[in-house]
Amino acid sequence: MLLGHMKDPRWPASEEALTKARDFLTELKDRRVVVAPHPSVDGLAAGALMLRALQALGAQVMARVPGKGEHAFSPAFQERLRAAPPDAFVVLERGPRPAASQESSAPALESTAGAPGGRWRAGADVGLSSSSALDASGAPPGIPTLIVAPQAESPGNASTKVLSAQGLEPPVSCSVLTFALVSPCVVPGPLEWLAVLGTVADQGADAPIPFLKDALRRAGRTAVTEAVSLLNAARKSSRFAAPLALGVLLRAGSATDITRGNVPGVDTLHDCRLEVQREVLRCSKTPPRIASPVALLLFSSEAQVHPQVAVRWAQRLPEHIIIAANAGYLPGRVDFAVRSRMPMGLGALPVHPTGGSLSREDFLRFAAGLGFKGLRDIDVERRGAFPG
């Protein structure tokens, strides 16, 4: 059995929901369609699958990967989309559209902390539905939109459709959900490796996904894990090479094509990974500030290394909640990751891995509230890509 293809009527989504989503796609023949995948490896693999399917269906398709610090419903990304609006819009997300409050101010931490492990709450009916919440500040008004997001919320208006796998066990990756959706539109066997790649990136090689073990053997476990490492570095690098990573996935016919450098762009992926590794090592040398039980590491890097730094320090300081705060990732903001091995949270902080992005002013207020008095604006200034 191919990955994600089961006789279970609900997993990875109901047949009714999948059929409605396919009907949406089949109506896009000869129409201009923008596909916007999440820049994670899972999102990019799902994007490659969707692009292949829409091409097979005769759509005039183009990919638009959200920029550094953006998602498909960010105002800046939507503004670029409105400059040359397509006939239809397909979004591939790991979860529902982030709320606007999560991008602007201190309450963002509380809204992020409410979901263990950064996951969105489950429980709604699984299926295809419209979503007014997504349209509220999401897709340009009037443009038919399909959102494929495993943990998306349901209902809304008629122009935006959501294919969700919310509440299902085992959890569904975006790439598996997309693979199940588009399989009737393509020859699925040769594309299974993309769903494997995204699933391993999202949930690990030993995730309890039906038929993953066999699918991983067909794709090559070693090649898949190495390819995931390379592709993941593209998004984390200061150069934010996620669009290049998508191009690599579209040119490759297997994970082995990537690990052997058989397609253009792989050399750049290696450069990205080397940069990220060096930045993790450099930023991990940051001395922590302690306001028990919180340990704050404040550094500046244009690479997205704060999650890895937080993980390293959570191992060194197992009795503390670690906040790895990166003042250099996005201009004017402090992006941070929270990790802890403690069996409890602290106020708005979560027990499970999470993080957020705050303006410099809001972050200083937030840090002061945790007991880190005396931090100044100069402490959260950007210091370049590779400061000494």
Side-chain angles (χ1 to χ4, degrees), residues 176-241:
V176 161
L177 186 58
T178 305
F179 185 54
L181 169 62
V182 306
S183 285
C185 310
V186 295
V187 179
L191 298 179
E192 182 191 48
W193 71 276
L194 288 166
V196 173
L197 195 79
T199 300
V200 169
D202 187 55
Q203 302 179 31
D206 298 314
I209 304 298
F211 309 116
L212 177 60
K213 183 177 180 180
D214 290 340
L216 187 55
R217 175 180 50 78
R218 290 191 290 269
R221 185 185 182 107
T222 300
V224 166
T225 54
E226 172 69 2
V228 165
S229 175
L230 289 169
L231 293 162
N232 196 38
R235 173 173 60 101
K236 294 180 178 295
S237 166
S238 63
R239 69 181 76 189
F240 191 77

Side-chain angles (χ1 to χ4, degrees), residues 304-328:
Q304 191 187 53
V305 295
H306 33 288
Q308 295 99 309
V309 172
V311 168
R312 287 183 170 221
W313 276 95
Q315 295 169 346
R316 297 177 190 176
L317 300 176
E319 296 181 357
H320 289 74
I321 295 172
I322 307 298
I323 301 177
N326 186 352

